[in-house]
Amino acid sequence: MSHQTVIVLDFGGQYNQLIARRVRECNVYCEVMPCTTPLSQLKAMDPIGIIFTGGPNSVYLDSSPHVDPEIFTWGVPILGICYGCQLMAHTLGGQVTEAQDDSAREYGKTQTYYDTTSPLFKGLPQEGISWMSHGDYMAKVPDGFALTAHSDSCPNVAIADEARGFYGVQFHPEVNHTQHGIDMIHNFLYEVCRAKGDWTMEDYCRTAIAQIREKIGGGKVLLALSGGVDSSVAAALLAEAVGSQLTCVFVDHGLMRKNEGDEVEAAFSKWDINFVRVDAEQRFLIKLAGVSEPEHKRKIIGEEFIRVFEEVAKKIGRVDYLVQGTIYPDVIESGAGDAAVIKSHHNVGGLPDYVDFKEIIEPLRLLFKDEVRQLGRELKLPEYLVMRQPFPGPGLAIRVIGDLTKDKLDRLRDADAIYREEIAAAGLGASINQYFAVLTNTRSVGVMGDGRTYDYTLALRAVTTSDFMTADWARIPYDVLDRISTRIVNEVQGINRIVYDITSKPPATIEWE
Ligand code: XMP
């Protein structure tokens, strides 16, 4: 695939993926590379520009990450953000020090004044809010640089050496809090790096299909379809590329939401592929009977999934390629350390140990989630699949608290469908990142007509989040909650009480199990 590339050089800041997404939103391809990447490797990528990210360190400490100074004589434009800006200043002869008083140490939304004759700020208003987060301060800017933005407390908010194509900003243009931040990134790409804007999903889709065809030739391809966005889009791409050479195995474990299995099957009926839907509900329910401990449930489901998949794969015989729906954040984050395991998320896409195949292909490994969705649209997948919210591999098994029965699963499915219908009807679907019902194992007394009931309590969960690592509970209007509650207790037997979960993550997690 030949397109212009920008390198996002990662110094450990928290917004690094966001910077890369912003660049891609401007139709320019970029890759995030560790700051330790040898210069020769960066040069081999032939970038049109480099962005130094922020980072948690102080540039004047020897232990902090630095760059090969030769990067500044290479002739490639550079935009330094926060730490990246300070690093550029420090390396090129400026002086960065710890801010001595609070006025120079800036954090949060800051009124900022821009020199709009500088290419970075071209076409922008002369002032606006920027998002600052720095404790260090550029006491002296390097020779050749002009000051191009200031705030009320800091004269050196942005620097530029137009002749060499070097730009630095103390604030974070990539976060939404910075007004016109995306325009600044756009300006860097188009005014400074002379980008052509050759990264579009239409183009990606066309090229990816051609490459997949060339790679696979007449070979056989196998894909485990979960119904989630990533595996669905990967399947659609492969279906478009190689049609009947593709076999999609959809293991229906009976733990999906209402109608989900049929929807997935219907979406793929337009392609001439081998679609194998394995109805494995009985198998899973038998294995899960009497199991109430969440990690135990996950383990059983993970193992059983592999077993079913393996059986189907054996019948199909040797395949040449196994497709995995790995996406770019997984690539960037792999090997990201050993954070404590809170829940053992099993990814139903990853099965290589058990299947006889020659090679793995990962057609989405360059794409962010929103790009995967765009690609899905490009491939004419229905919107309900493309916009599907994350759904855990173990499905509703971890949303029925305690031990599982088909009856409980069916009740949860009905209640969850009503919840989703009402959220959609209220137009709230796009503003809530994940929402679902949980069937608790608490029963309580109620009254229906003239009779006493002793039925289950259903919990409603809804969160807003950008990364699913932290989340806030969604403020659903009371009248919408009221409609949902009334409908569920009236329409679903065995549920007589509805509660709304108002805990953030942390301390809670998004799922209940
Ligand atoms: P938690 O509950 O850990 O969830 O806050 C974070 C995100 O991960 C999803 N999740 C899972 N996904 N297998 C998965 O594939 C799992 O076992 C699993 N558990 C949680 C959850 O839905 C949320 O989006």
Side-chain angles (χ1 to χ4, degrees), residues 440-462:
T440 74
N441 50 1
T442 295
R443 293 170 78 191
S444 70
V445 175
V447 53
M448 270 231 171
D450 292 329
R452 174 187 190 270
T453 57
Y454 185 54
D455 285 335
Y456 284 101
T457 301
L458 184 97
L460 303 174
R461 183 69 162 141

Side-chain angles (χ1 to χ4, degrees), residues 201 205 233 364 367 371-379:
M201 263 315 123
C205 187
V233 173
L364 311 179
L367 305 184
E371 292 176 309
V372 173
R373 294 191 205 277
Q374 260 174 282
L375 179 60
R377 288 194 187 100
E378 204 59 53
L379 290 158

Side-chain angles (χ1 to χ4, degrees), residues 295 298 342-348 389-395 398-399 433-434 436 461 463 465 467-471 505 508-513:
E295 283 303 291
R298 278 194 171 75
I342 308 290
K343 297 177 188 182
S344 57
H345 292 194
H346 92 268
N347 175 359
V348 293
Q389 35 175 320
F391 185 63
I398 56 163
R399 293 182 181 169
N433 303 98
Q434 197 172 5
F436 52 86
R461 183 69 162 141
V463 295
T465 172
D467 54 9
F468 297 89
M469 313 278 281
T470 59
K505 172 184 179 178
T509 52
I510 296 174
E511 304 284 349
W512 275 38
E513 285 198 335

Side-chain angles (χ1 to χ4, degrees), residues 9 11 35 39-40 42-43 47 49-53 59 65-94 96 138 142-143 145 159-169 188:
L9 205 57
F11 290 94
C35 62
L39 192 57
S40 56
L42 299 181
K43 283 188 172 174
I50 300 179
I51 299 180
F52 291 177
T53 74
V59 288
H66 289 96
V67 279
D68 185 337
E70 209 192 308
I71 202 165
F72 296 107
T73 54
W74 172 10
V76 174
I78 299 175
L79 170 64
I81 294 176
C82 200
Y83 180 87
C85 171
Q86 293 164 5
L87 180 68
M88 180 152 62
H90 175 79
T91 315
L92 293 175
V96 178
M138 269 188 299
D143 291 344
F145 279 79
I159 55 173
D161 178 343
E162 279 183 41
R164 288 188 285 177
F166 296 159
Y167 295 80
V169 290
F188 175 68

Side-chain angles (χ1 to χ4, degrees), residues 157-450:
V157 168
I159 55 173
D161 178 343
E162 279 183 41
R164 288 188 285 177
F166 296 159
Y167 295 80
V169 290
Q170 290 275 22
F171 56 85
H172 288 271
E174 69 277 19
V175 304
N176 281 331
H177 301 308
T178 297
Q179 292 172 331
H180 302 284
I182 185 83
D183 299 327
M184 298 172 198
I185 292 172
H186 192 277
N187 276 345
F188 175 68
L189 299 169
Y190 287 84
E191 298 292 326
V192 180
C193 304
R194 302 283 163 212
K196 292 188 293 204
D198 58 6
W199 176 252
T200 63
M201 263 315 123
E202 190 190 345
D203 202 44
Y204 176 84
C205 187
R206 210 180 19 240
T207 322
I209 288 170
Q211 283 183 341
I212 290 170
R213 281 190 187 139
E214 194 186 341
K215 180 175 186 93
I216 290 176
K220 281 208 277 183
V221 190
L222 186 63
L223 183 145
L225 187 61
S226 71
V229 180
D230 302 341
S231 71
S232 298
V233 173
L237 188 63
L238 266 294
E240 195 66 37
V242 295
S244 60
Q245 290 159 254
L246 172 68
T247 302
C248 288
V249 179
F250 172 46
V251 177
D252 188 348
H253 50 22
L255 307 168
M256 312 285 276
R257 288 165 292 194
K258 197 168 183 174
N259 301 332
E260 204 160 33
D262 296 342
E263 285 172 2
V264 172
E265 189 169 355
F268 288 91
S269 61
K270 67 173 170 169
W271 280 288
D272 175 26
I273 59 171
N274 306 299
F275 188 95
V276 182
R277 178 172 174 176
V278 189
D279 178 7
E281 183 182 41
Q282 275 305 318
R283 283 179 73 150
F284 279 85
L285 288 184
I286 290 169
K287 286 270 165 167
L288 287 164
V291 178
S292 54
E293 206 283 312
E295 283 303 291
H296 194 190
K297 287 183 186 173
R298 278 194 171 75
K299 200 158 177 289
I300 291 173
I301 295 166
E303 279 175 12
E304 196 60 13
F305 192 93
I306 289 169
R307 207 143 298 143
V308 176
F309 187 81
E310 191 184 15
E311 286 170 18
V312 181
K314 241 182 225 143
K315 279 191 207 143
I316 295 168
R318 184 176 161 78
V319 293
D320 303 289
Y321 299 94
L322 182 74
V323 182
Q324 286 197 319
T326 318
I327 68 171
Y328 196 48
D330 308 330
V331 176
I332 303 177
E333 277 161 16
S334 59
D338 26 35
V341 175
I342 308 290
K343 297 177 188 182
S344 57
H345 292 194
H346 92 268
N347 175 359
V348 293
L351 309 156
D353 291 355
Y354 300 83
V355 183
D356 188 16
F357 64 97
K358 204 167 74 185
E359 204 180 321
I360 292 182
I361 44 178
E362 299 177 309
L364 311 179
R365 67 177 281 121
L366 296 180
L367 305 184
F368 284 109
K369 194 80 174 186
D370 38 2
E371 292 176 309
V372 173
R373 294 191 205 277
Q374 260 174 282
L375 179 60
R377 288 194 187 100
E378 204 59 53
L379 290 158
K380 308 269 182 305
L381 273 180
E383 199 59 19
Y384 61 76
L385 270 190
V386 169
M387 284 315 289
R388 187 153 274 180
Q389 35 175 320
F391 185 63
L396 299 185
I398 56 163
R399 293 182 181 169
V400 171
I401 307 305
D403 62 328
L404 287 175
T405 60
K406 167 126 171 74
D407 187 48
K408 283 185 182 175
L409 285 165
D410 284 341
R411 280 178 212 190
L412 175 59
R413 261 189 278 268
D414 288 342
D416 186 70
I418 293 172
Y419 185 19
R420 287 191 288 143
E421 251 173 60
E422 290 298 330
I423 292 287
L428 294 171
S431 59
I432 306 175
N433 303 98
Q434 197 172 5
Y435 52 97
F436 52 86
V438 175
L439 188 67
T440 74
N441 50 1
T442 295
R443 293 170 78 191
S444 70
V445 175
V447 53
M448 270 231 171
D450 292 329

